[in-house]
Amino acid sequence: MTVLDRSAIIAPASFNRWLIPPAALAIHLCIGQVYAFSVFKTPFQSHFGVGEVAVGWIFSLAIAMLGISSAIAGTWVERVGPRMAMVAAGGFWVLGFLVSAIGIATGQLWLVYLGYGVIGGIGLGIGYIAPVSTLMKWFPDRPGLSTGLAIMGFGGGALIASPASNKLMALFGGGVEPSHLVAGLTPTFLTLAGCYLLAIALGAYVIRLPHPDWAPKGFDPRSATAKAAQTTGSVSAKQAIRTPQFWLLWIVLFTNVTAGIGILENAAPMVSDGFGIAAAAAAGFVGLLSLANMAGRFVWSTTSDYLGRKLNYALYLSIGAVLYVVIATVGSASLAVFVLSALVIISFYGGGFSTVPAYLRDLFGVYQVGAIHGRLLTAWAAAGIAGPLLVNSIVESQAAAGHSGMDLYKLSMWLMAGILAVGFVANLLIRAVKPSHFEDEAVVAQKKEADRAGAHEAISGNGGAEAHAKAGASHTAAAGVLAVLVVAALAYGLVETAIRAVALFTA
């Protein structure tokens, strides 16, 4: 047995579960950098002498590979456990930055496609699902809160990476002028690679799986309030994709993500064209959207523990559709109405990401929820391509027709409202999974017995209970250090974003 094996990370029955969230947040804060990729867009265009489309495909490729790799590797992640998965994810993610740095230094754009887009995208997919399924196992009493904690980090990654990347490029390049930022690209990518390597390695060390005999204090699953469409059995990933529930939820996630992209894709130009806002103040609007995205991932997912996942999604999709109509009709007349509506829509966008793993748990059980989640993320990959294509095509056609200002975006806002209505209907149709899809309980029990045996082997292999306790003390210290780093990084990102957001209404 090696330190990367699943059996090596089965925690004792007395383990404190609150040591685990910092590990999940650590990797999501790192890979969440993908949402801050736009800070490299202008320097890349200048450095490689290409247009927006050529650079934009780097991001689209990364998101596409996220969906593909999470779908393919999901079952493997469940089998080997989160530590090996996090090490693999970190390896791909960091290697992607290193290959990209070589591409930047040599002027070879295709190496950035390969590094950040393909190799880094594989790391994104594996790193996204591993912490989420692990936290759900540690929080059977609060699955919405647990997924919100993890996925909040993915939304918060951009809050940290965006200002940090800009400052690193200026530092290494010797100034804030475009030519200076271009000069600082290569050392910035190398620095980020080193930081992410350290953070993910520490998170992989801290991560643990719960002992089969562990349960939250006072928690009795038999007395827990059942949510709408909640299953009473366990469904394998192989069986899950054969159910109508999986594909209905695929449509729900696809529509929610596509509609969110309707705002995200053109956030700065919309507020600039519609209200004559300067570029610096428009960046403040983008910062506010990032805050709403991150907050929604935690707040709405936690709320779903009380309201239920199906009702939460009904709210995301219905209220979101109404707010898109508001933006399309009266939003252009009031900056406050426009900004408030957009912030709520984006909070639902973030909430949809963090609520869906708990929804999957309700429908299919916790048995292979990580693998099922990976397959469902193909909806995100599809939306990541379809959303920008729809919005940009409509904006271009409206510009060609002679429209300007907010009129460029009104038709796409109506389209987003219609797309959300489709998701609303799909969510209404979701019912509990039929028992014919349940996995044999003997197979499920066999997995628990393997984990129980692994926990016993880990204690014996460490030299007995006393040596195991000492190792536990060092693990607790590492978790404490990681928690401090996570909180400090988030605080930095929040302060930097708040400073930029102030300019929206004061400029």
Side-chain angles (χ1 to χ4, degrees), residues 232-256:
T232 56
S234 300
V235 183
S236 68
K238 184 178 180 180
Q239 276 296 320
I241 61 174
R242 298 176 180 176
T243 66
Q245 288 84 354
F246 176 88
W247 294 107
L248 286 169
L249 194 53
W250 194 98
I251 293 171
V252 167
L253 183 61
F254 174 83
T255 56
N256 193 59

Side-chain angles (χ1 to χ4, degrees), residues 399-428:
H403 295 291
S404 61
M406 192 61 75
D407 290 339
L408 288 171
Y409 308 97
K410 285 185 177 180
L411 182 57
S412 59
M413 297 301 101
W414 282 106
L415 177 61
M416 294 303 122
I419 288 173
L420 284 175
V422 172
F424 181 81
V425 173
N427 183 59
L428 287 181

Side-chain angles (χ1 to χ4, degrees), residues 83-135:
R83 176 175 286 175
M84 187 175 291
M86 288 172 70
V87 168
F92 279 111
W93 184 237
V94 172
L95 180 60
F97 272 81
L98 296 178
V99 172
S100 297
I102 295 173
I104 296 167
T106 59
Q108 300 295 316
L109 182 58
W110 70 271
L111 280 175
V112 183
Y113 285 134
L114 174 64
Y116 195 99
V118 178
I119 299 174
I122 294 172
L124 281 174
I126 298 173
Y128 189 89
I129 59 176
V132 177
S133 62
T134 302
L135 276 183

